[in-house]
Amino acid sequence: MAVPAALTKAQAAEGDIDVNELVFGHIGDAYQWHIVKFGDTEVSIPLPVIVKSSTGWHVFSSARLEEGPYEGLYVAKGGAYDGKIVERNAAGEEVRPLDISITKNVLGLFINSAVLLVIMMSCVRWYKKHPLEDGAPKGGVGMIEATVLSIYNDVIKGCIGENYRRYAPYLLTAFFFVLVNNLMGLIPIFPGGANVTGNIAITLVLALCTFVLTNVYGTKAYWKEIFWPDVPTWLKAPIPMMPLIEFFGIFTKPFALMIRLFANIMAGHAAVLSLVAIIFITVKSGPVINGSMTVVSVAFDIFMNALEVLVAFIQAYVFTMLSAVFIGLSQVKEHAEK
Amino acid sequence: MGLLTPDPGLLFWMVVTFGVVFFILAKYGFPVILKTVEDRKAYIDNSLKAAREANEQLANVKVEGEKILAQAREEQHRILSEAAVTRDRIIKDAQEKAFAEGNRLMEEMKKQIETEKESAIRDIRRQVAVLSVGIAEKIMRNRLADEKEQTALIDRLLDEMIETSKK
């Protein structure tokens, strides 16, 4: 979590530090990847901006936006589109063009995905190189194998039941994707530190995948339980109370998935950053208080980071497990013997 | 844009990236790992089975070996005893043959000796006869010098001859 960045930024601000902006600046997205600030020099990686505005496609480095409007585009300050690239329409109102820029989160997403692919593919290469007689892998490959197997056997097989093979690739991908993104988010400096899984767009896509897999392959019994559940008839006949509740359940389940992952990771990032900010808030209170608070802050930071490592795994595990459970629920069979 | 509003740009890239990651991992990643693990499990099971079979075979081989050894020992014993019997028979045969041969030789020897003895005896008799005739001649000549004696002898001889003819 961009702690060094926060440190130097705060030092530069010398006391009057806007914790709100610091924390939310990190948690949100940005058009460049800010790394550190030495004195007055900002060290950041400019990222490509890709925008389709009313004047067509624009592709340029985000460094161009530092000085002001570029090709009619600029970063909005305040308003509905705070921090995003906007343009002014004929009426003079700020509007958002189609914006598929490679932002900090997108680059983080790319890097983390590359890390994940490299890890997995190097494991696969190990398997291709070694014949079966060599036995089980050791070290890193062994660790990945053990993790894959524990997810596969305990979570996927256990929660889905009969057709688990069909869903295994998605659930394993989701698990490792979330896990790698969570862990990379904990590394304070580039190339880690992007708040990827703490962004609702990311968790939305993941939850959507689970939603699609749950409902597209849902069995007849699954749909019957939604629209005509086994409850007293007055609960479903004139006013379809239970069916309505069950129907909303279809959407609330993945929605909960989305919010749970997003909120957990975002809150973790926010907590660590807020704890770091204590150091800079207490600067004004004199050296004694500032010094003792620094010790407290670092101690809490270490604790929080350790906790976040745990949370990174737990959230990946919970996401996978709940996805498996939802998919498993959609695979129910008719209760023949009743 | 608040925290709870998904950004369309990020949404787009997330769909693309996750799609690519999912495609690669689902096609080339996890199936390989899971298949290898399953294959390894099968391999271990087979190996265990093979090891058990080999063990059983080894035990069988041991038993078989002992059986063969016992058979060999029996055979050896049999051959040895047969050899002893054969040896005894050969010796006995040889002895008998030698005995018979000896007997035959002895017999022949005896016969020869007998023949020779007889011929010797015959020889001796002839000579004795010749000698006795000569001696008798001489004695006769000495005795028959006087007449009396000649008639006396003739008489006695006649008596004797009569006596023998009487008989």
Side-chain angles (χ1 to χ4, degrees):
Chain A
M1 308 191 179
V3 174
L7 278 172
T8 44
K9 209 185 227 173
Q11 276 161 351
E14 208 77 61
D16 71 296
I17 145 175
D18 187 353
V19 177
N20 224 26
E21 194 217 297
L22 187 146
V23 172
F24 283 96
H26 163 76
I27 288 170
D29 210 346
Y31 286 101
Q32 78 280 341
W33 197 315
H34 185 266
I35 294 173
V36 77
K37 185 176 181 180
F38 289 116
D40 284 336
T41 15
E42 294 271 5
V43 180
S44 60
I45 302 168
L47 301 169
V49 173
I50 306 165
V51 169
K52 184 181 186 290
S53 71
S54 52
T55 52
W57 285 100
H58 300 273
V59 179
F60 54 89
S61 161
S62 66
R64 301 282 175 84
L65 292 168
E66 300 280 303
E67 293 95 38
Y70 181 80
E71 292 174 353
L73 299 163
Y74 62 96
V75 178
K77 287 231 162 27
Y81 305 127
D82 184 31
K84 300 288 175 191
I85 287 178
V86 291
E87 62 176 344
R88 280 190 190 281
N89 62 7
E93 294 162 329
E94 280 186 346
V95 286
R96 260 204 99 183
L98 177 64
D99 183 359
I100 51 165
S101 307
I102 309 295
T103 57
K104 181 183 170 184
N105 278 346
V106 175
L107 183 63
L109 183 66
F110 287 172
I111 292 170
N112 300 347
S113 301
V115 167
L116 173 61
L117 286 181
V118 166
I119 291 173
M120 283 303 167
M121 284 303 145
S122 53
C123 288
V124 167
R125 224 182 52 159
W126 189 95
Y127 288 114
K128 295 231 164 111
K129 268 188 177 171
H130 291 72
L132 281 178
E133 294 80 61
D134 281 12
K138 294 182 176 63
V141 183
M143 184 181 79
I144 299 291
E145 185 188 298
T147 318
V148 169
L149 285 183
S150 83
I151 297 294
Y152 185 67
N153 290 326
D154 301 345
V155 177
I156 299 174
K157 232 183 249 181
C159 293
I160 296 182
E162 215 175 297
N163 288 327
Y164 66 95
R165 272 172 210 280
R166 181 166 44 179
Y167 303 98
Y170 164 68
L171 290 169
L172 283 168
T173 309
F175 174 78
F176 281 100
F177 187 84
V178 173
L179 181 65
V180 167
N181 275 297
N182 285 352
L183 289 174
M184 287 294 283
L186 294 177
I187 300 170
I189 51 160
F190 182 83
N195 182 25
V196 178
T197 32
N199 190 297
I200 201 151
I202 305 295
T203 58
L204 172 67
V205 173
L206 289 169
L208 211 62
C209 289
T210 299
F211 173 77
V212 168
L213 278 178
T214 309
N215 293 298
V216 167
Y217 295 113
T219 56
K220 213 187 273 174
Y222 166 69
W223 291 109
K224 185 194 161 276
E225 268 179 30
I226 288 168
F227 292 114
W228 200 254
D230 280 330
V231 287
T233 319
W234 61 271
L235 276 174
K236 51 190 180 182
I239 313 150
M241 210 148 48
M242 284 309 290
L244 214 63
I245 292 169
E246 291 280 352
F247 184 70
F248 273 111
I250 298 175
F251 300 100
T252 50
K253 278 186 238 167
F255 186 78
L257 272 184
M258 170 179 86
I259 296 295
R260 180 182 297 108
L261 180 58
F262 151 74
N264 269 287
I265 304 305
M266 188 209 65
H269 281 235
V272 174
L273 283 172
S274 307
L275 285 167
V276 173
I278 289 176
I279 300 171
F280 308 104
I281 292 168
T282 53
V283 167
K284 278 186 197 159
S285 319
V288 179
I289 291 176
N290 186 220
S292 50
M293 283 318 284
T294 304
V295 175
V296 172
S297 163
V298 170
F300 269 107
D301 274 333
I302 292 169
F303 171 73
M304 272 312 291
N305 262 313
L307 190 69
E308 282 306 301
V309 173
L310 196 65
V311 169
F313 177 80
I314 290 172
Q315 285 308 319
Y317 190 83
V318 164
F319 186 92
T320 315
M321 192 179 72
L322 287 178
S323 292
V325 167
F326 296 156
I327 292 170
L329 285 177
S330 78
Q331 297 295 308
V332 285
K333 294 263 169 352
E334 292 278 4
H335 307 293
E337 61 284 276
K338 238 188 174 178
Chain B
M1 286 241 157
L3 281 172
L4 287 168
T5 344
D7 184 65
L10 187 55
L11 216 53
F12 166 74
W13 285 115
M14 173 59 186
V15 170
V16 171
T17 317
F18 188 71
V20 170
V21 169
F22 172 64
F23 177 77
I24 294 176
L25 289 187
K27 201 162 162 63
Y28 306 107
F30 297 119
V32 176
I33 297 178
L34 294 175
K35 191 178 168 297
T36 313
V37 171
E38 259 162 42
D39 287 354
R40 189 192 303 141
K41 193 172 160 287
Y43 175 74
I44 291 171
D45 286 351
N46 282 345
S47 300
L48 281 178
K49 220 167 92 187
R52 205 174 46 231
E53 272 166 19
N55 241 345
E56 271 167 23
Q57 268 174 3
L58 200 71
N60 276 355
V61 163
K62 234 180 196 170
V63 169
E64 205 120 300
E66 268 163 23
K67 222 198 276 173
I68 287 171
L69 214 67
Q71 256 173 10
R73 226 172 261 144
E74 212 171 285
E75 188 83 346
Q76 183 198 32
H77 193 72
R78 195 179 58 76
I79 288 170
L80 276 181
S81 56
E82 242 169 49
V85 168
T86 313
R87 183 198 58 196
D88 288 351
R89 208 188 57 227
I90 287 170
I91 290 173
K92 212 170 134 199
D93 277 7
Q95 273 177 345
E96 271 168 14
K97 230 172 167 182
F99 189 68
E101 187 71 16
N103 273 0
R104 196 179 57 80
L105 283 176
M106 210 71 128
E107 221 48 48
E108 252 170 43
M109 212 66 113
K110 266 184 190 164
K111 260 184 212 158
Q112 223 173 331
I113 289 168
E114 204 69 33
T115 349
E116 273 177 25
K117 200 173 82 184
E118 269 168 27
S119 76
I121 288 173
R122 243 190 330 266
D123 234 34
I124 290 169
R125 272 199 191 131
R126 205 166 36 244
Q127 285 200 2
V128 167
V130 171
L131 282 177
S132 22
V133 169
I135 291 167
E137 217 175 59
K138 273 180 185 158
I139 293 171
M140 281 304 209
R141 236 171 250 152
N142 285 342
R143 289 260 187 101
L144 295 179
D146 67 296
E147 267 311 304
K148 255 179 51 203
E149 252 189 79
Q150 264 182 18
T151 39
L153 181 65
I154 289 166
D155 288 341
R156 198 181 66 222
L157 281 175
L158 284 174
D159 290 343
E160 265 174 29
M161 277 168 83
I162 293 165
E163 223 163 298
T164 40
S165 63
K166 271 185 190 166
K167 276 179 190 178

